[in-house]
Amino acid sequence: MTHWQPTPKKFLGAIACVSAIALAAAAPAGQAEGARLDVTGTWAFQVETSGGSGTPTMTLKQDGEKLTGHYSGQLGEAPLTGTVKGNAVEFTIEVTFEGNAFHIVYTGTADKDSMKGTVKLGDFDGTFTAKKKS
């Protein structure tokens, strides 16, 4: 009967194989190795909350993990700021509508041409989806 005898070369080869499998499993789904998600562009949103629905357009600019941009919708026009970490996206908008200030927070996930997640608009909670226009 032959027994497997670990040698330094066999041991290092086994460790390298296990490490490669672990790294591949940890990579975000839908992203090629070394590729980074970039949400820069114009996005058409569909927002549904208990207070109503809307279809704002947002122009986003990503610089590393930093996200800036512009909101244009039923509540007017306003800048936005946030972050992109992996495929997780979060941004906030401060807008005044009919004399009332609103703090809006979008939290979700994105890929190269779509987003989905939750939105908090003042006291209203809801969901959103978005498609990249350009």
Side-chain angles (χ1 to χ4, degrees), residues 10-94:
K10 288 180 183 177
F11 181 74
L12 290 175
I15 294 296
C17 186
V18 169
S19 296
I21 292 168
L23 286 172
Q31 290 188 32
E33 187 176 328
R36 263 207 159 153
L37 176 66
D38 187 351
V39 297
T40 298
T42 303
W43 293 77
F45 279 71
Q46 177 65 47
V47 180
E48 302 288 337
T49 72
S50 53
S53 63
T55 55
T57 298
M58 296 189 217
T59 304
L60 306 176
K61 180 170 184 344
Q62 183 178 337
D63 182 11
E65 290 187 345
K66 181 181 176 184
L67 188 63
T68 57
H70 185 81
Y71 163 91
S72 178
Q74 291 172 290
L75 300 176
E77 308 269 332
L80 63 86
T81 59
T83 59
V84 178
K85 295 181 181 179
N87 71 336
V89 178
E90 181 170 321
F91 56 92
T92 60
I93 304 164
E94 304 289 337

